[in-house]
Amino acid sequence: MRFPGRLSAAIAVLADVEQRKRPVSEALKAWGLNNRFAGAGDRAAIGNLVYDALRRRASHAAAMGSDTPRALVLAVAMRDWGETPESLNQAFASDTHAPEPLSPQEAAGAVAVLAAAPLATQADMPDWLAASLERALGPDWVAEGQAMAGRPSLDLRVNALKATPEKVMKSLARFSPQSAAIAPFGLTMPAGPRDARTPNVTTDEGYLKGWFEVQDQGSQIVAALANAREGEQVLDLCAGAGGKTLALAANMGNSGQIFAYDSDRSRLAPIYDRLKRNGVRNAQVRAPNDNALDDLVGKMDRVVVDAPCTGTGTWRRRPDTKWKLTPELLAQRQAEQAALLVEAARYLKPGGTLAYITCSVLPEENDDQIAAFLAETPGFASLDIAAAWRQALITDLPEGLATAGGGLCLTPLRTGTDGFYIHLLRKA
């Protein structure tokens, strides 16, 4: 496929997303199944156009004067990918699969200046979240929003139980991996421009042997800050597919015991194969039932709560969720988080540590939750996050990461990671 045909396909995929109200990944998969002539490069380029359009939907719509799929895709081509109205119209004239030629208004969108646009539009985020994000991220919140509208890197965590960073870098040399800036066992491959394809590392021999896992550096950092130690009894209360369980097991050197639990059996399904591939021997999976964790009450050295959240920290990877988020969904997640904090406290023994983690940057899900929990739950106190950082990562805590409420917030702008929050609490 030539570039004009790819633009037409991206417009069709976005229209399908709007009409059927289904996730982008499903719409892209359906398009690929219905257009088997398209090669891997075509599918990657079309996916990049669609995701780039959603990442900057607000600013692109403002520039183009329209939020139709056509307007958004043309904005990506001109404002993100460096095409001009002239280059597009010239390409369209010789391709039967091309969109219609640009109108004068669409052509003007290529150079539209948004300095007078609302700040939420400049930040590419829903208007109703502006106050929350400004409270969480401070005076740089617009720049933070713009960073969350960029493309993410592909990050890997080297499995210390089986390999070293040097070994994995050699195995993946064809992809030119780099050492992560913060996570000690992290490797990264920055996102490329335009139609660049994301490396398919899961077919590599090293992945199949359990030498590494795909995991954002931010997730690796908060797993390290949870600071699970050799010989401890640890409960991963919202284990999901097991990404943080695997990281905790490596930090513990396969000693002690991790109990991996999730209230949703389907989310747990991938964990069994992942534990086996990674060589994890100190994890016990607890499937959900009425008394699955009763024997752990009051016995855990550490409880890790990777709480369900709005996922605002993952907007780079799942930009469609940014525009689907509602106040009602935020309130639902807040209620779930508050209940999980109370539940987690039951399992800690005296002197135990509770690590509360979200992939959100909203204060309602982070500092506010902890403040409410501490006000209602005697016998808990916040741990020094700077000291925890020094102990886990052997460096001083970078400026600007500690939150007003005593937690820590990672963001694409500050740390080059997805957005993550962690707060450490000690039971008296």
Side-chain angles (χ1 to χ4, degrees):
M1 296 176 68
R2 293 192 291 174
F3 189 54
R6 290 174 170 179
L7 292 175
S8 292
I11 292 169
V13 170
L14 273 179
D16 183 35
V17 170
E18 281 192 4
Q19 293 164 6
R20 301 197 185 192
K21 308 297 182 186
R22 61 177 173 178
V24 175
S25 57
E26 289 185 13
L28 285 167
K29 182 178 179 180
W31 186 92
L33 291 173
N34 292 329
N35 298 272
R36 295 182 183 276
F37 62 85
D42 296 321
R43 293 193 299 272
I46 294 163
N48 284 347
L49 285 166
V50 169
Y51 279 108
D52 283 353
L54 291 170
R55 289 183 179 108
R56 299 183 61 195
R57 190 178 102 175
S59 62
H60 283 332
M64 301 294 286
S66 170
D67 64 353
T68 65
R70 172 184 165 91
L72 296 177
V73 171
L74 292 177
V76 171
M78 295 186 293
R79 298 177 66 84
D80 293 345
W81 290 30
E83 298 289 338
T84 65
E86 293 75 22
S87 69
L88 289 178
N89 278 332
Q90 183 177 0
F92 292 177
S94 59
D95 194 317
T96 58
H97 300 288
E100 293 295 317
L102 276 69
S103 69
Q105 180 182 353
E106 289 173 333
V111 293
V113 177
L114 301 180
L119 293 181
T121 299
Q122 296 181 45
D124 272 294
M125 59 183 58
D127 292 342
W128 69 274
L129 283 175
S132 289
L133 288 161
E134 184 174 10
R135 179 160 69 95
L137 303 172
D140 292 334
W141 71 276
V142 173
E144 293 275 8
Q146 291 168 347
M148 286 191 281
R151 289 187 185 177
S153 58
L154 175 65
D155 295 346
L156 312 176
R157 180 186 57 80
V158 176
N159 178 14
L161 299 176
K162 285 193 169 185
T164 63
E166 294 74 22
K167 187 175 184 178
V168 174
M169 290 183 80
K170 183 177 180 180
S171 179
L172 297 175
R174 64 194 181 280
F175 299 130
S176 302
Q178 307 167 18
S179 297
I182 300 172
F185 288 92
L187 301 178
T188 186
M189 285 159 270
R194 290 181 60 111
D195 58 356
R197 295 168 62 180
T198 301
N200 184 11
V201 297
T202 57
T203 59
D204 184 78
E205 178 187 19
Y207 177 81
L208 299 175
K209 290 183 175 179
W211 294 354
F212 65 88
E213 285 287 322
V214 177
Q215 186 177 20
D216 179 76
Q217 187 190 184
S219 180
Q220 297 178 49
I221 292 169
V222 294
L225 290 171
N227 201 24
R229 303 174 186 177
E230 294 183 5
E232 286 189 336
Q233 300 292 300
V234 178
L235 172 59
D236 187 355
L237 190 56
C238 306
K244 290 185 178 65
T245 302
L246 299 174
L248 295 171
N251 289 345
M252 296 168 69
N254 244 344
S255 67
Q257 185 75 56
I258 302 174
F259 299 92
Y261 174 84
D262 198 283
S263 60
D264 186 333
R265 191 180 298 270
S266 63
R267 283 199 298 260
L268 271 176
I271 197 172
Y272 300 96
D273 287 341
R274 296 181 77 186
L275 292 172
K276 182 178 180 181
R277 188 177 70 248
N278 279 259
V280 173
R281 300 187 304 274
N282 68 330
Q284 180 183 135
V285 180
R286 293 286 182 94
N289 61 56
D290 290 342
N291 58 357
L293 302 177
D294 286 356
D295 60 319
L296 306 184
V297 173
K299 297 179 180 178
M300 295 295 100
D301 296 293
R302 205 167 299 266
V303 177
V304 178
V305 178
D306 187 4
C309 66
T310 56
T312 54
T314 64
W315 278 346
R316 298 185 303 169
R317 303 180 192 279
R318 300 183 62 200
D320 51 329
T321 64
K322 180 180 352 185
W323 311 109
K324 295 176 182 177
L325 184 58
T326 64
E328 292 76 20
L329 180 57
L330 172 57
Q332 178 184 336
R333 292 291 178 260
Q334 288 177 271
E336 294 167 351
Q337 293 153 5
L340 275 168
L341 280 166
V342 173
E343 176 72 6
R346 296 177 57 232
Y347 301 107
L348 281 172
K349 68 182 185 182
T353 299
L354 194 163
Y356 175 75
I357 297 168
T358 71
C359 55
S360 173
V361 296
L362 300 181
E364 292 90 342
E365 301 183 275
N366 297 337
D367 274 357
D368 292 359
Q369 285 285 14
I370 296 297
F373 174 77
L374 290 174
E376 298 170 4
T377 313
F380 278 84
S382 298
L383 293 179
D384 184 341
I385 199 66
W389 181 284
R390 285 192 296 272
Q391 184 176 35
L393 299 168
I394 323 300
T395 62
D396 287 334
L397 177 65
E399 187 176 350
L401 301 190
T403 66
L408 177 141
C409 188
L410 310 174
T411 70
L413 182 65
R414 298 172 186 178
T415 51
T417 69
D418 283 351
F420 276 94
Y421 174 86
I422 184 169
H423 200 115
L424 302 175
L425 299 166
R426 173 67 51 80
K427 184 176 182 179

Coordinates of all heavy atoms in Angstrom, one line a residue, residues 205-273:
E205 N 14.5 -15.7 21.0 CA 14.9 -16.8 21.8 C 15.0 -16.5 23.3 O 14.5 -17.3 24.2 CB 16.2 -17.4 21.3 CG 16.7 -18.6 22.1 CD 18.1 -19.1 21.7 OE1 18.8 -18.2 21.1 OE2 18.5 -20.2 22.0
G206 N 15.5 -15.3 23.6 CA 15.7 -14.9 25.0 C 14.3 -14.8 25.7 O 14.2 -15.1 26.9
Y207 N 13.3 -14.2 25.0 CA 12.0 -14.1 25.6 C 11.4 -15.5 25.9 O 10.9 -15.8 27.0 CB 11.1 -13.3 24.7 CG 9.7 -13.2 25.3 CD1 9.4 -12.3 26.3 CD2 8.7 -14.1 24.8 CE1 8.1 -12.2 26.8 CE2 7.4 -14.0 25.4 CZ 7.1 -13.1 26.3 OH 5.8 -13.0 26.8
L208 N 11.5 -16.4 24.9 CA 11.0 -17.7 25.1 C 11.7 -18.5 26.2 O 11.1 -19.4 26.8 CB 11.1 -18.5 23.7 CG 10.4 -17.9 22.6 CD1 10.6 -18.6 21.3 CD2 8.9 -17.8 22.8
K209 N 12.9 -18.2 26.5 CA 13.7 -18.8 27.6 C 13.5 -18.1 28.9 O 14.0 -18.6 29.9 CB 15.2 -18.9 27.2 CG 15.5 -19.8 26.1 CD 17.0 -19.9 25.8 CE 17.4 -20.9 24.8 NZ 18.8 -21.0 24.5
G210 N 12.7 -17.0 28.9 CA 12.5 -16.3 30.2 C 13.6 -15.4 30.6 O 13.6 -15.0 31.8
W211 N 14.4 -14.9 29.7 CA 15.4 -14.0 30.0 C 14.9 -12.6 30.3 O 15.5 -11.8 31.0 CB 16.5 -13.9 28.9 CG 17.2 -15.2 28.7 CD1 17.2 -16.3 29.4 CD2 18.2 -15.4 27.6 NE1 18.0 -17.3 28.8 CE2 18.6 -16.7 27.8 CE3 18.6 -14.6 26.5 CZ2 19.6 -17.3 26.9 CZ3 19.6 -15.2 25.7 CH2 20.0 -16.5 25.8
F212 N 13.8 -12.2 29.7 CA 13.2 -10.9 29.9 C 11.7 -10.9 29.7 O 11.2 -11.8 29.1 CB 13.9 -9.9 29.0 CG 13.6 -10.1 27.5 CD1 12.5 -9.6 26.9 CD2 14.5 -10.9 26.7 CE1 12.2 -9.8 25.5 CE2 14.2 -11.1 25.4 CZ 13.1 -10.6 24.8
E213 N 11.1 -9.8 30.2 CA 9.7 -9.6 30.1 C 9.5 -8.2 29.5 O 10.3 -7.3 29.8 CB 9.0 -9.7 31.4 CG 8.8 -11.1 31.9 CD 7.7 -11.9 31.1 OE1 6.7 -11.3 30.8 OE2 7.9 -13.1 30.9
V214 N 8.4 -8.0 28.8 CA 8.0 -6.6 28.3 C 7.3 -6.0 29.5 O 6.3 -6.4 30.0 CB 7.1 -6.7 27.1 CG1 6.6 -5.3 26.8 CG2 7.8 -7.4 26.0
Q215 N 7.9 -4.9 30.0 CA 7.4 -4.1 31.2 C 7.8 -2.7 31.2 O 9.1 -2.5 31.1 CB 7.8 -4.8 32.5 CG 7.1 -4.2 33.7 CD 7.5 -5.0 35.0 OE1 8.5 -5.7 35.0 NE2 6.7 -4.9 36.0
D216 N 6.9 -1.8 31.2 CA 7.3 -0.4 31.2 C 8.2 -0.1 32.4 O 8.1 -0.7 33.5 CB 6.0 0.5 31.4 CG 6.4 2.0 31.4 OD1 6.7 2.6 30.4 OD2 6.4 2.6 32.5
Q217 N 9.2 0.8 32.1 CA 10.2 1.1 33.2 C 9.5 1.7 34.4 O 10.0 1.4 35.6 CB 11.2 2.2 32.6 CG 12.3 2.4 33.6 CD 13.3 3.5 33.3 OE1 14.3 3.8 34.0 NE2 12.9 4.3 32.3
G218 N 8.4 2.4 34.3 CA 7.7 2.9 35.5 C 7.2 1.8 36.3 O 7.3 1.8 37.6
S219 N 6.7 0.7 35.7 CA 6.2 -0.4 36.4 C 7.3 -1.1 37.1 O 7.2 -1.6 38.3 CB 5.5 -1.4 35.5 OG 5.0 -2.5 36.1
Q220 N 8.5 -1.2 36.5 CA 9.7 -1.8 37.1 C 10.1 -1.0 38.3 O 10.5 -1.5 39.4 CB 10.8 -1.8 36.1 CG 10.6 -2.7 34.9 CD 11.7 -2.6 33.9 OE1 12.9 -2.8 34.3 NE2 11.4 -2.4 32.6
I221 N 10.0 0.3 38.2 CA 10.5 1.2 39.3 C 9.6 1.0 40.6 O 10.1 0.8 41.7 CB 10.5 2.7 38.9 CG1 11.6 2.9 37.8 CG2 10.7 3.6 40.1 CD1 11.6 4.2 37.2
V222 N 8.3 1.0 40.4 CA 7.4 0.9 41.5 C 7.5 -0.5 42.1 O 7.4 -0.7 43.3 CB 5.9 1.3 41.2 CG1 5.8 2.8 40.9 CG2 5.4 0.4 40.1
A223 N 7.7 -1.5 41.3 CA 7.9 -2.9 41.8 C 9.2 -2.9 42.7 O 9.2 -3.6 43.7 CB 8.0 -3.9 40.7
A224 N 10.2 -2.2 42.2 CA 11.5 -2.2 43.0 C 11.2 -1.4 44.3 O 11.7 -1.8 45.4 CB 12.6 -1.5 42.2
L225 N 10.5 -0.3 44.3 CA 10.2 0.4 45.5 C 9.3 -0.3 46.5 O 9.4 -0.1 47.7 CB 9.5 1.8 45.1 CG 10.4 2.8 44.4 CD1 9.6 4.0 43.9 CD2 11.5 3.3 45.3
A226 N 8.5 -1.3 46.0 CA 7.8 -2.1 46.9 C 8.7 -2.9 47.8 O 8.4 -3.3 48.9 CB 6.9 -3.1 46.2
N227 N 10.0 -3.1 47.4 CA 11.1 -3.6 48.2 C 10.9 -4.9 48.9 O 11.2 -5.1 50.0 CB 11.4 -2.5 49.2 CG 12.9 -2.6 49.8 OD1 13.7 -3.2 49.1 ND2 13.1 -2.1 51.0
A228 N 10.3 -5.9 48.1 CA 10.2 -7.2 48.7 C 11.6 -7.8 48.8 O 12.4 -7.7 48.0 CB 9.3 -8.1 47.7
R229 N 11.8 -8.4 50.0 CA 13.1 -8.9 50.3 C 13.2 -10.4 50.5 O 12.1 -11.1 50.6 CB 13.5 -8.3 51.7 CG 13.5 -6.8 51.7 CD 13.8 -6.2 53.0 NE 13.6 -4.7 53.1 CZ 13.8 -4.0 54.2 NH1 14.0 -4.6 55.3 NH2 13.6 -2.7 54.1
E230 N 14.4 -10.9 50.4 CA 14.6 -12.4 50.5 C 14.0 -12.9 51.8 O 14.1 -12.3 52.9 CB 16.0 -12.7 50.4 CG 16.7 -12.4 49.1 CD 18.1 -12.8 49.0 OE1 18.6 -13.4 50.0 OE2 18.8 -12.5 48.0
G231 N 13.3 -14.0 51.7 CA 12.7 -14.7 52.9 C 11.4 -14.2 53.4 O 10.8 -14.7 54.3
E232 N 10.9 -13.1 52.8 CA 9.6 -12.5 53.2 C 8.4 -13.3 52.8 O 8.4 -14.0 51.8 CB 9.5 -11.0 52.8 CG 10.4 -10.1 53.5 CD 10.1 -8.6 53.2 OE1 9.6 -8.4 52.1 OE2 10.4 -7.8 54.1
Q233 N 7.3 -13.0 53.5 CA 6.0 -13.5 53.0 C 5.3 -12.3 52.4 O 5.0 -11.3 53.1 CB 5.2 -14.0 54.2 CG 5.8 -15.2 54.9 CD 5.8 -16.4 54.0 OE1 4.8 -16.9 53.6 NE2 7.0 -16.9 53.7
V234 N 4.9 -12.4 51.1 CA 4.4 -11.2 50.4 C 3.1 -11.6 49.7 O 3.0 -12.7 49.1 CB 5.4 -10.8 49.3 CG1 4.9 -9.6 48.5 CG2 6.8 -10.4 49.9
L235 N 2.1 -10.7 49.8 CA 0.9 -10.9 49.1 C 0.8 -9.9 48.0 O 0.8 -8.7 48.2 CB -0.3 -10.8 50.0 CG -1.7 -10.7 49.4 CD1 -2.0 -12.0 48.6 CD2 -2.8 -10.5 50.5
D236 N 0.6 -10.3 46.7 CA 0.3 -9.5 45.6 C -1.2 -9.6 45.4 O -1.7 -10.5 44.8 CB 1.1 -10.0 44.4 CG 1.0 -9.0 43.2 OD1 0.2 -8.0 43.3 OD2 1.6 -9.2 42.1
L237 N -1.9 -8.6 45.9 CA -3.3 -8.7 46.1 C -4.1 -8.5 44.8 O -5.2 -9.0 44.6 CB -3.8 -7.7 47.1 CG -5.3 -7.8 47.6 CD1 -5.6 -9.2 48.2 CD2 -5.6 -6.7 48.6
C238 N -3.5 -7.8 43.8 CA -4.2 -7.6 42.5 C -3.2 -8.0 41.4 O -2.7 -7.2 40.6 CB -4.6 -6.1 42.3 SG -5.6 -5.5 43.7
A239 N -2.8 -9.3 41.4 CA -1.7 -9.7 40.6 C -2.0 -9.7 39.1 O -1.0 -9.5 38.3 CB -1.4 -11.2 41.0
G240 N -3.2 -9.8 38.7 CA -3.5 -9.7 37.2 C -2.7 -10.8 36.5 O -2.6 -11.9 36.9
A241 N -2.1 -10.4 35.4 CA -1.3 -11.3 34.6 C 0.0 -11.6 35.1 O 0.7 -12.5 34.6 CB -1.2 -10.8 33.1
G242 N 0.4 -10.9 36.2 CA 1.6 -11.3 36.9 C 2.9 -10.5 36.7 O 3.9 -10.9 37.2
G243 N 2.8 -9.4 36.0 CA 4.0 -8.6 35.7 C 4.8 -8.2 36.9 O 6.0 -8.4 37.0
K244 N 4.1 -7.7 37.9 CA 4.8 -7.3 39.2 C 5.1 -8.5 40.0 O 6.1 -8.4 40.7 CB 3.9 -6.2 39.9 CG 3.9 -4.9 39.2 CD 3.1 -3.9 40.0 CE 3.1 -2.5 39.3 NZ 2.3 -2.6 38.0
T245 N 4.3 -9.5 40.0 CA 4.7 -10.8 40.7 C 6.1 -11.3 40.2 O 6.9 -11.6 41.1 CB 3.6 -11.9 40.5 OG1 2.4 -11.4 40.9 CG2 4.0 -13.1 41.3
L246 N 6.3 -11.3 38.9 CA 7.6 -11.7 38.4 C 8.7 -10.8 38.9 O 9.8 -11.3 39.2 CB 7.5 -11.7 36.9 CG 6.5 -12.6 36.2 CD1 6.4 -12.4 34.7 CD2 6.7 -14.1 36.5
A247 N 8.5 -9.5 38.9 CA 9.5 -8.6 39.3 C 9.8 -8.8 40.8 O 11.0 -8.7 41.2 CB 9.1 -7.1 39.0
L248 N 8.8 -9.0 41.6 CA 9.0 -9.2 43.0 C 9.8 -10.5 43.3 O 10.7 -10.5 44.1 CB 7.6 -9.3 43.7 CG 6.7 -8.0 43.7 CD1 5.4 -8.3 44.3 CD2 7.4 -6.9 44.5
A249 N 9.4 -11.5 42.5 CA 10.2 -12.8 42.7 C 11.6 -12.6 42.4 O 12.5 -13.2 43.1 CB 9.5 -13.9 41.8
A250 N 12.0 -11.9 41.4 CA 13.4 -11.6 41.0 C 14.1 -10.8 42.1 O 15.2 -11.1 42.5 CB 13.5 -10.9 39.7
N251 N 13.4 -9.8 42.7 CA 13.9 -9.0 43.7 C 14.2 -9.9 45.0 O 15.2 -9.6 45.7 CB 13.0 -7.9 44.1 CG 12.9 -6.8 43.0 OD1 13.8 -6.8 42.2 ND2 11.9 -6.0 43.1
M252 N 13.4 -10.9 45.2 CA 13.5 -11.8 46.4 C 14.4 -12.9 46.1 O 14.6 -13.8 47.0 CB 12.1 -12.3 46.7 CG 11.1 -11.2 47.2 SD 9.4 -11.8 47.3 CE 9.5 -12.9 48.7
G253 N 15.0 -13.0 44.9 CA 16.0 -14.1 44.6 C 15.3 -15.5 44.7 O 16.0 -16.5 45.1
N254 N 14.0 -15.6 44.4 CA 13.3 -16.8 44.5 C 13.2 -17.4 45.9 O 12.9 -18.6 46.0 CB 13.9 -17.9 43.5 CG 13.0 -18.3 42.4 OD1 11.8 -18.0 42.5 ND2 13.5 -18.9 41.3
S255 N 13.4 -16.6 46.9 CA 13.3 -17.1 48.3 C 12.0 -16.5 48.9 O 11.3 -15.7 48.3 CB 14.5 -16.7 49.1 OG 14.5 -15.3 49.3
G256 N 11.7 -17.0 50.1 CA 10.4 -16.5 50.7 C 9.2 -17.1 50.0 O 9.3 -18.1 49.3
Q257 N 8.1 -16.3 50.0 CA 6.9 -16.8 49.4 C 6.1 -15.6 48.9 O 5.9 -14.6 49.7 CB 6.1 -17.6 50.4 CG 4.8 -18.2 49.8 CD 5.1 -19.4 48.9 OE1 5.7 -20.4 49.3 NE2 4.7 -19.4 47.6
I258 N 5.6 -15.7 47.7 CA 4.7 -14.7 47.1 C 3.4 -15.4 46.9 O 3.3 -16.4 46.2 CB 5.2 -14.1 45.8 CG1 6.6 -13.4 46.0 CG2 4.2 -13.0 45.3 CD1 7.2 -13.0 44.7
F259 N 2.3 -14.8 47.4 CA 1.0 -15.3 47.1 C 0.4 -14.3 46.1 O 0.1 -13.1 46.4 CB 0.1 -15.3 48.4 CG 0.7 -16.2 49.4 CD1 1.6 -15.7 50.4 CD2 0.4 -17.5 49.5 CE1 2.1 -16.5 51.4 CE2 0.9 -18.4 50.4 CZ 1.8 -17.9 51.4
A260 N 0.1 -14.8 44.9 CA -0.4 -14.0 43.8 C -1.9 -14.2 43.7 O -2.4 -15.4 43.4 CB 0.2 -14.4 42.5
Y261 N -2.7 -13.2 43.9 CA -4.2 -13.3 43.9 C -4.8 -12.2 43.1 O -4.2 -11.1 43.0 CB -4.7 -13.2 45.4 CG -6.2 -13.1 45.5 CD1 -6.9 -14.3 45.5 CD2 -6.8 -11.9 45.5 CE1 -8.3 -14.2 45.6 CE2 -8.2 -11.8 45.6 CZ -8.9 -13.0 45.7 OH -10.3 -13.0 45.8
D262 N -5.9 -12.5 42.5 CA -6.7 -11.5 41.8 C -8.2 -11.9 41.9 O -8.5 -13.1 41.8 CB -6.3 -11.3 40.3 CG -6.8 -10.0 39.7 OD1 -8.0 -9.9 39.4 OD2 -6.0 -9.1 39.6
S263 N -9.0 -10.9 42.0 CA -10.5 -11.3 42.2 C -11.1 -11.7 40.9 O -12.2 -12.3 40.9 CB -11.2 -10.1 42.7 OG -11.1 -9.0 41.8
D264 N -10.4 -11.5 39.8 CA -10.9 -11.8 38.4 C -10.1 -13.0 37.9 O -8.9 -12.9 37.6 CB -10.8 -10.7 37.5 CG -11.4 -10.9 36.1 OD1 -11.5 -12.1 35.7 OD2 -11.8 -10.0 35.5
R265 N -10.7 -14.2 37.8 CA -10.0 -15.4 37.4 C -9.4 -15.3 36.0 O -8.3 -15.8 35.7 CB -10.9 -16.6 37.5 CG -10.3 -18.0 37.3 CD -11.3 -19.0 37.4 NE -12.0 -19.0 38.7 CZ -11.6 -19.8 39.8 NH1 -10.5 -20.5 39.7 NH2 -12.2 -19.7 40.9
S266 N -10.1 -14.6 35.1 CA -9.6 -14.5 33.7 C -8.4 -13.6 33.6 O -7.5 -13.9 32.8 CB -10.7 -13.9 32.8 OG -11.0 -12.5 33.3
R267 N -8.2 -12.6 34.5 CA -7.0 -11.8 34.5 C -5.8 -12.6 35.0 O -4.7 -12.4 34.5 CB -7.2 -10.6 35.4 CG -8.0 -9.5 34.8 CD -7.7 -8.1 35.5 NE -8.1 -8.2 36.9 CZ -9.2 -7.7 37.4 NH1 -10.1 -7.2 36.6 NH2 -9.5 -7.7 38.7
L268 N -6.0 -13.6 35.8 CA -4.9 -14.4 36.3 C -4.4 -15.5 35.3 O -3.4 -16.0 35.5 CB -5.4 -15.2 37.6 CG -5.2 -14.5 39.0 CD1 -5.8 -15.4 40.0 CD2 -3.8 -14.3 39.3
A269 N -5.2 -15.8 34.3 CA -5.0 -16.9 33.4 C -3.5 -16.9 32.9 O -2.9 -18.0 32.9 CB -6.0 -16.9 32.3
P270 N -3.0 -15.8 32.4 CA -1.6 -15.9 31.8 C -0.5 -16.1 32.8 O 0.6 -16.4 32.4 CB -1.4 -14.5 31.2 CG -2.8 -13.9 31.1 CD -3.5 -14.4 32.3
I271 N -0.8 -16.0 34.1 CA 0.3 -16.0 35.1 C 1.0 -17.3 35.2 O 2.2 -17.4 35.4 CB -0.2 -15.5 36.5 CG1 1.0 -15.1 37.4 CG2 -1.0 -16.6 37.2 CD1 0.5 -14.5 38.7
Y272 N 0.3 -18.4 35.0 CA 0.9 -19.7 35.2 C 2.1 -20.0 34.2 O 3.2 -20.4 34.6 CB -0.2 -20.8 35.0 CG -1.3 -20.7 36.0 CD1 -2.5 -20.0 35.7 CD2 -1.1 -21.2 37.3 CE1 -3.5 -19.9 36.6 CE2 -2.2 -21.0 38.3 CZ -3.3 -20.4 37.9 OH -4.3 -20.2 38.8
D273 N 1.8 -19.7 32.9 CA 2.9 -19.9 31.9 C 4.0 -18.9 32.1 O 5.2 -19.2 31.9 CB 2.3 -19.7 30.5 CG 1.4 -20.9 30.1 OD1 1.5 -22.0 30.7 OD2 0.6 -20.7 29.1

